[in-house]
């Protein structure tokens, strides 16, 4: 392993400058929308005991966790998602906090996965969790926050696919299988992979009618009427409850005028175990993978302390949103900083140059001052290279008249400006 000191691990990235400015734009919009809906920020540790982070998640997520031991031999891991840690906080420190409780987060997550476009080993989640209501009103609210957040950052054509994990679980039960025995079927349905679904179905001993129901699930996508097809094929009370829940959620979304953005997909099973109810994923055409996903998880808090609290939420992949915005040609409003570079020709004028810089910053103008004692031509060359739009030149002759030279780099024009008029000059 040579030269590792010059490289960074696979699936990680250095972020800087314009990229980060665009990133902050996205994050600020997300944060603003979460807060508009009454959500408050929560942060949990980046690493925790593996046992705690693993709670309720299932093998697929656990196998993707970066695990390590501390010096005392305790099993730790980097968090791969925030829902379990937040459920831990709700089950412990926030146990007597009034319900419902709305929280949001913006934080890096870590998963040991094969990196590809939109899939890294370190990536950011922006998510919300809503505790304390088992009504579809909570599911509809979470979906509405999801859609409006993706709209607010500037994405076009966001749509959501809504399903219900209870459906798959009820059908598995009806087929007489355990969830472990049906794990391969679940993965194939999740990926809508017909070939692997056939292989998985060959491995299980269930009636051919039930196999047909499994085959049907990934094909049931469309408006709410697709729910009828499953009811025509399975006679099971739990399935009926799940379908009613989906219909109620879509009806509530009509109140937000967002129902047209939601498509029913009864094949959504999600890769994490804790889900118990309505689940969803969001997409735009320009990106082949999900922008984010979430759903209801009524038993997770109970897995920590035995006392359940109904909950629902989502996490948006911030990196994927950034990628999708770039693909859609979104024009990010960049701040273009710094706006001004101050050069002083004479060492004696350093103090005056600093004073001018301080005053310009007070006006909210991002201002740099030369710290290399550059000559004028070198200073101007530097401003050009960096794309700094204005240079303020503090020279002795002008300064004695109470003036400086302001050079507009783009127009290649300069003029003398009274120091006390700099404010007016730049505010123009
Ligand atoms: P998730 O579907 O595993 O859900 O992740 C949510 C989103 O994170 C994905 O849709 C995707 O945009 C992004 N994401 C996942 N893995 C990667 C990766 N390796 N690289 C880049 N982006 C990635 C959860 O994590 C649940 N905790 C969501 C939730 C909150 N459910 C209820 N509350």
């Amino acid at each position: 392993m040579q030269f590792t000191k010059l490289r960074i691990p696979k699936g990680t990235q250095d972020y800087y400058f314009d990229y980060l400015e665009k990133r902050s734009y996205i994050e600020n919009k997300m944060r603003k929308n979460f807060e508009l809906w009454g959500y408050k920020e929560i942060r949990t540790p980046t690493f925790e005991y593996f046992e705690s982070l693993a709670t309720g998640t299932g093998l697929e997520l656990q196998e993707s966790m970066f695990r390590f031991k501390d010096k005392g031999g305790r099993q730790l891991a980097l968090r791969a998602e925030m829902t379990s840690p937040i459920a831990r906080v709700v089950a412990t420190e926030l146990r007597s906090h009034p319900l419902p409780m709305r929280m949001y987060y913006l934080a890096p997550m870590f998963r040991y996965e094969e990196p590809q476009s939109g899939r890294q080993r370190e990536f950011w989640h922006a998510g919300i969790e809503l505790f304390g209501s088992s009504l579809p009103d909570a599911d509809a609210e979470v979906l509405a926050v999801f859609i409006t957040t993706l709209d607010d950052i500037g994405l076009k054509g966001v749509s959501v696919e809504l399903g219900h994990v209870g459906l798959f679980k009820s059908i598995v039960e009806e087929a007489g299988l355990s969830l472990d025995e049906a794990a391969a079927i679940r993965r194939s349905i999740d990926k809508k992979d017909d070939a692997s679904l056939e292989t998985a179905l060959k491995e299980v001993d269930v009636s051919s009618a039930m196999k047909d129901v499994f085959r049907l699930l990934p094909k049931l996508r469309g408006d709410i009427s697709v729910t009828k097809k499953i009811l025509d094929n399975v006679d099971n009370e739990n399935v009926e409850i799940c379908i009613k829940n989906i219909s109620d959620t879509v009806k509530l979304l009509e109140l937000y005028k967002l129902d047209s953005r939601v498509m029913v997909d009864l094949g959504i099973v999600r890769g994490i175990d804790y889900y118990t109810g309505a689940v969803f994923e969001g997409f735009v055409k320009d990106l082949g993978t999900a922008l984010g996903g979430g759903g209801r998880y009524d038993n997770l808090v109970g897995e920590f302390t035995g006392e359940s609290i109904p909950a629902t939420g989502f996490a948006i992949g911030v990196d994927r949103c950034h990628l999708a915005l770039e693909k859609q040609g979104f024009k990010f409003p960049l701040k273009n900083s710094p706006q001004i570079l101050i050069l002083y020709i004479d060492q004696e004028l350093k103090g005056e140059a600093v004073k001018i810089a301080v005053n310009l910053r007070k006006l909210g103008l991002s201002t740099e001052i030369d710290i290399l004692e550059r000559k004028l031509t070198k200073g101007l060359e530097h401003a050009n290279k960096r794309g700094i739009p204005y240079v303020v030149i503090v020279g002795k002759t002008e300064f004695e008249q109470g003036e400086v030279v302001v050079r507009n780099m783009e127009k290649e024009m300069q003029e003398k400006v009274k120091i006390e008029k700099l404010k007016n000059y730049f505010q123009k």
Side-chain angles (χ1 to χ4, degrees), residues 213 216 220 225-235 239:
V213 176
L216 192 62
L220 295 178
S225 65
V226 298
T227 53
K228 201 178 160 304
K229 287 203 185 131
I230 195 83
L231 294 174
D232 291 344
N233 282 276
V234 218
D235 180 19
V239 169

Side-chain angles (χ1 to χ4, degrees), residues 140-311:
E141 171 170 318
V142 162
L143 270 162
V145 180
F146 185 76
I147 298 170
T148 52
T149 302
L150 293 171
D151 286 351
D152 275 7
I153 62 171
L155 280 170
K156 296 274 171 265
V158 173
S159 66
V160 171
E161 304 200 341
L162 172 68
H164 197 300
V165 287
L167 213 58
F168 179 76
K169 288 184 180 167
S170 311
I171 293 167
V172 168
E173 204 176 40
E174 176 91 20
L177 294 174
S178 72
L179 277 176
D180 283 345
E181 286 167 326
I185 301 179
R186 179 168 105 166
R187 267 196 304 277
S188 311
I189 292 178
D190 189 25
K191 297 192 167 60
K192 299 203 188 309
D193 182 344
D194 289 344
S196 72
L197 179 60
E198 283 311 316
T199 316
L201 288 174
K202 275 198 196 107
E203 301 288 312
V204 292
D205 180 23
V206 296
S207 72
S208 66
M210 279 322 285
K211 285 189 179 174
D212 281 345
V213 176
F214 283 122
R215 288 188 186 104
L216 192 62
L217 271 185
K219 301 200 164 47
L220 295 178
R221 287 176 78 219
D223 62 26
I224 194 78
S225 65
V226 298
T227 53
K228 201 178 160 304
K229 287 203 185 131
I230 195 83
L231 294 174
D232 291 344
N233 282 276
V234 218
D235 180 19
N236 177 301
E237 202 185 328
N238 284 336
V239 169
E240 281 171 32
I241 294 171
C242 298
I243 295 295
K244 180 172 180 326
N245 187 267
I246 293 180
S247 309
D248 290 348
T249 306
V250 174
K251 270 200 204 100
L252 284 161
L253 278 168
E254 283 175 26
L255 303 179
Y256 294 105
K257 308 216 176 339
L258 291 172
D259 52 309
S260 64
R261 309 285 293 280
V262 176
M263 184 195 266
V264 174
D265 181 346
L266 301 186
I268 297 186
V269 285
R270 307 274 299 139
I272 309 178
D273 276 4
Y274 48 61
Y275 293 109
T276 55
V279 283
F280 59 90
E281 279 173 347
F283 299 90
V284 280
K285 278 201 305 298
D286 316 78
L287 202 74
T289 45
L291 288 171
R296 178 167 283 286
Y297 53 96
D298 286 346
N299 302 331
L300 184 57
V301 175
E303 288 200 35
F304 285 95
T305 51
E307 217 178 297
S308 285
I309 296 179

Side-chain angles (χ1 to χ4, degrees), residues 39-45 48 52-53 55 57 79 81-95 101-107 109 125-131 274 297 300-302 304 309 311-315:
Y39 288 73
K40 286 179 90 69
E41 190 167 11
I42 179 164
R43 285 187 197 170
T44 59
E48 290 192 36
S52 178
L53 288 176
T55 303
T57 55
R79 64 171 174 231
E81 58 97 54
M82 279 287 263
T83 311
S84 264
I86 292 176
R88 170 188 55 72
V89 183
V90 171
T92 53
E93 288 171 61
L94 291 173
R95 211 164 54 198
M101 199 165 15
R102 293 174 166 87
M103 341 188 177
Y104 81 85
Y105 48 93
L106 263 153
M109 306 294 148
H125 266 174
I128 66 166
E129 309 295 345
L130 169 51
F131 292 88
Y274 48 61
Y297 53 96
L300 184 57
V301 175
F304 285 95
I309 296 179
T312 169
F314 67 71

Side-chain angles (χ1 to χ4, degrees), residues 52-65:
S52 178
L53 288 176
T55 303
T57 55
L59 214 57
E60 198 178 323
L61 197 77
Q62 286 163 20
E63 281 177 351
S64 79
M65 285 183 193

